[in-house]
Amino acid sequence: MGQPHYGILGGVGQVSAKISVIIPVYNASGPLPDCLQSIALQTWTDLEVLLVDDGSTDDSTGICRSFCEKDSRFRLLQKENGGVSSARNLGLKEASGDYIAFVDADDWLCPEMLEHQVECLEKDGSDMAMCGFQEAGEAERRQFRRDCGTGESTQLLKRQDKKLSDKKPPDKENADKERRDGEAAGMEETYPEHISMPVEAYVAEYLLAGNTRCWSILFRKEILQEARFQEGLTIGEDLLFLIDLLPALKKVSLIKTREYCYYINDDGAMFSGFKPAYMDQITCWQQAREKIKLLYPDYTAKADISLFQAALLTAGKLALLPAEERRAMADYTEVCRKAAREAARDRMVRRGLPAGYKLKGLLFLLAPSLYLGLYHHWKGRR
């Protein structure tokens, strides 16, 4: 497959279209008002905001109702607790907009994000437009609240983008950090501010490089068709959703500007200790590999590299457990080992792995217990 050609594109005029913003809500009463306020302040005003209350037991439902009473664009949908995928799926079923966006309840948007994405889609004729994101913490949240209180919300983009571009990300062990760092570098250093690319390039250079989020993307509704999130998964559901869209995609737009504020939640799945549900990321990459093998066989090795890395990252979570707990989790360790061995069969995969993964992976495959013990000791000394 040859090197793709990327078109560099400029600004465009205004168009008329409705955006359906789908927000799963579950016990998010603390950060939720900031999220909803940031959407209410969007410069693109033709919105349908679907608040999917996934069986909340805190004040989230009341907060949603309050916004619905103040702003007719907001609509509350309530359901029994079933997880983020089932909440998003209900939102997709109810959405009536020309475009669809997903926002997590603890994140927030800079004021022009949706407008920029619509303009980008219309100019490029793309099927989805993805912007960059900022990692944000409580300091940035307080600044957001101050700006809203003083009527300076239109300055959030420039102020926060400059502040967070100079900020060193938190030094935390998590499965997403490496791909976030690589993605930010790729978007900011390799490409101009705004590009479009064929779907093959998106798959090779972004999706299979670990850029597997569905938030910060604006989708044309027609490409979603009957696409739904796979329920019962806690990690990796975004990846499978995006892969299921590939047959309908022709062109993808990428916007360098980081207008989605991604809240660093210390209690989130990526930062927490090992839980059995963490094995979902291996399951998802195994499913993804089989789908990529059918759709883009030339990229099977790239999918295997991602599977190998997911297995090692999951094993790293297991390694942080005390020795007795690690021994009790031996079955999970073996699942990680089998997945890594399966992925590394191809010589192209072994050659394509980063140097650190080659060394760690070899030790893990040959002596998993020794690897986990050394990893635990190494992390404990940091």
Side-chain angles (χ1 to χ4, degrees), residues 6 43 49 67 88 103 160-161 171 190 207 221 284 303 370:
Y6 302 136
T43 56
V49 188
F67 270 83
R88 287 172 175 166
V103 178
Q160 290 196 356
D161 191 43
D171 183 17
T190 307
L207 188 61
K221 186 180 181 182
C284 287
L370 176 61

Side-chain angles (χ1 to χ4, degrees), residues 213-365:
R213 67 186 190 271
C214 73
W215 43 264
S216 83
I217 298 176
L218 187 64
F219 301 88
R220 288 188 187 273
K221 186 180 181 182
E222 56 261 33
I223 71 159
L224 301 183
Q225 298 295 330
E226 300 301 317
R228 294 295 183 267
F229 290 87
Q230 186 169 321
E231 299 184 19
L233 298 170
T234 58
I235 299 174
E237 68 280 358
D238 288 16
L239 166 66
L240 296 179
F241 178 78
L242 292 171
I243 286 182
D244 286 343
L245 296 183
L246 293 179
L249 287 177
K250 294 182 177 63
K251 188 190 294 185
V252 176
S253 292
L254 297 110
I255 305 169
K256 171 183 171 181
T257 313
R258 298 180 298 165
E259 300 181 77
Y260 189 102
C261 297
Y262 173 77
Y263 179 61
I264 302 299
N265 180 6
D266 291 346
D267 297 323
M270 292 299 103
F271 295 153
S272 64
F274 178 81
K275 299 175 182 177
Y278 205 81
M279 304 299 292
D280 286 352
Q281 66 175 332
I282 294 178
T283 300
C284 287
W285 273 112
Q286 287 173 327
Q287 291 184 28
R289 178 197 181 277
E290 295 308 309
K291 294 181 179 185
I292 289 296
K293 186 177 181 179
L294 293 175
L295 293 170
Y296 299 99
D298 290 347
Y299 297 152
T300 302
K302 284 182 174 287
D304 276 327
I305 289 173
S306 294
L307 172 58
F308 188 93
Q309 291 173 316
L312 263 289
L313 287 165
T314 305
K317 285 284 190 180
L318 283 162
L320 298 180
L321 296 171
E324 186 175 340
E325 290 186 43
R326 289 203 305 274
R327 287 191 290 271
M329 299 284 185
D331 289 346
Y332 292 128
T333 302
E334 185 58 23
V335 171
C336 295
R337 186 187 184 194
K338 286 182 178 179
R341 186 168 58 234
E342 169 194 348
R345 283 194 191 123
D346 191 329
R347 183 179 300 176
M348 290 179 61
V349 174
R350 297 193 296 273
R351 288 178 177 175
L353 284 169
Y357 274 100
K358 289 179 183 177
L359 181 60
K360 292 189 298 183
L362 178 62
L363 179 58
F364 179 64
L365 290 174

Side-chain angles (χ1 to χ4, degrees), residues 110-111 144 147 152-161:
C110 291
F144 171 82
D147 289 338
E152 296 181 2
S153 59
T154 57
Q155 299 301 315
L156 278 172
L157 171 59
K158 293 181 180 178
R159 182 182 296 120
Q160 290 196 356
D161 191 43

Side-chain angles (χ1 to χ4, degrees), residues 8 16 24 29 44 70 72 84 148 150 160 236 240 250 253 267-268 273-274 294 338 346 374 377-378:
I8 305 174
S16 176
S29 59
W44 190 270
K70 293 186 295 184
S72 62
V84 65
C148 289
T150 57
Q160 290 196 356
L240 296 179
K250 294 182 177 63
S253 292
D267 297 323
F274 178 81
L294 293 175
K338 286 182 178 179
D346 191 329
L374 291 173
H377 180 70
W378 173 57

Side-chain angles (χ1 to χ4, degrees), residues 5-21:
H5 173 73
Y6 302 136
I8 305 174
L9 304 168
V12 297
Q14 187 75 287
V15 297
S16 176
K18 180 191 288 186
I19 299 174
S20 294
V21 182

